[in-house]
Amino acid sequence: MTWSTGLLGFAAGLLISVVTAPVGVSGAVFLLPVQVSVLGVPSPAVTPTNLLYNVVAGPGALLRHHRSGGLRGPLTRLLVLGTVPGVVVGAVIRVFAVPGPSVFRLLIAVLLLPLGGWLCLRTLHRAVRTAPARDSPGMSPRAITRLAMAVGVAGGIYGIGGGSLLGPILVGRGMPVAKVAPAALAATFVTSVVGAGTYALLSLTTTGDIAPYWSLGLACGLGGLCGGYLGARLQPRLPETALKLLLGVLALGIGGLYAVQILR
């Protein structure tokens, strides 16, 4: 890795995480195309490299949320309980079954585009209403764990943090962003530690670009470490309406990104 590549990775991780951390998204899903198209990371090594980014970047935002008490409560435990076994299964599938990315990208686009649009429209509609808004009923603990496990499998296969999927769904079901964001980031961090370790072990017994690009992953992660802390500090200063709009816009951006990749 050259100095210019390392600095570019650091800057990308910093800018992405500042924007995404306030709503519980690590930013790895946006970093993935940067690593492939700009930084030249091959597949499947890009998946564990992205997970390594989450490992290094995660403590920045988590430290801030820990100090403010945002990591307390059962939601964090439920998400971790589901995502950890899921990411191990996803890593094994990625290495040995090598599923094509087209179907996954299509599913993400179909899920996040309408979800992001609905979240933005509902938030804007509630912002102009004078009557008090009624939140939709939340999900049961069992449903949350099952959702987290499915997201963990997807994260193990494609190297996404999980917050980009968990956040819009949980907030769309009525949970406040301030509660969802710390739990989603914590689940992303723990899942990424397990996922990166699983890929490192699998690389010892399998040929090909399976191990993460350590130097580049660390450079991007250090940028995310700084940006995540700054983003978490911004969260209490942003109103719930702004956070929901940001989450909806990010969901639209992720869904649109995958839709464009499918059409190419």
Side-chain angles (χ1 to χ4, degrees):
M1 183 186 70
T2 63
W3 281 104
S4 59
T5 302
L7 289 175
L8 183 59
F10 178 88
L14 175 66
L15 293 175
I16 290 172
S17 59
V18 166
V19 176
T20 59
V23 291
V25 179
S26 71
V29 68
F30 291 110
L31 188 63
L32 188 65
V34 175
Q35 290 187 11
V36 173
S37 303
V38 179
L39 302 177
V41 181
S43 179
V46 67
T47 299
T49 302
N50 229 26
L51 292 173
L52 178 60
Y53 160 80
N54 285 335
V55 172
V56 179
L62 292 178
L63 176 61
R64 180 63 186 174
H65 286 306
H66 174 71
R67 289 177 175 175
S68 63
L71 295 177
R72 300 169 186 170
L75 182 60
T76 300
R77 294 190 295 271
L78 291 173
L79 294 185
V80 172
L81 183 63
T83 54
V84 168
V87 75
V88 175
V89 174
V92 173
I93 292 174
R94 182 69 175 95
V95 172
F96 294 105
V98 195
S102 298
V103 174
F104 171 77
R105 290 169 179 167
L106 177 61
L107 290 175
I108 296 301
V110 169
L111 172 66
L112 289 186
L113 280 174
L115 181 59
W118 171 76
L119 190 57
C120 288
L121 290 175
R122 191 182 75 159
T123 303
L124 289 172
H125 177 66
R126 288 186 172 184
V128 299
R129 289 181 60 183
T130 56
R134 293 182 179 179
D135 284 324
S136 56
M139 300 174 65
S140 68
R142 181 175 297 181
I144 291 174
T145 302
R146 288 176 178 173
L147 171 66
M149 183 173 293
V151 170
V153 173
I157 296 175
Y158 298 101
I160 63 173
S164 57
L165 299 176
L166 291 170
I169 294 174
L170 294 176
V171 172
R173 291 302 301 269
M175 293 187 180
V177 178
K179 179 180 178 181
V180 171
L185 287 172
T188 294
F189 174 71
V190 175
T191 302
S192 298
V193 171
V194 175
T198 302
Y199 273 98
L201 291 176
L202 291 173
S203 68
L204 300 177
T205 59
T206 309
T207 58
D209 292 315
I210 297 173
Y213 276 34
W214 295 98
S215 56
L216 182 58
L218 290 173
C220 296
L222 289 174
L225 180 70
C226 301
Y229 185 85
L230 294 174
R233 282 184 63 93
L234 287 174
Q235 188 201 61
R237 296 174 171 83
L238 298 174
E240 179 75 5
T241 298
L243 291 173
K244 287 185 176 181
L245 280 175
L246 176 58
L247 186 59
V249 169
L250 289 177
L252 286 172
I254 296 167
L257 178 64
Y258 280 120
V260 169
Q261 291 176 350
I262 293 170
L263 295 176
R264 286 182 177 178

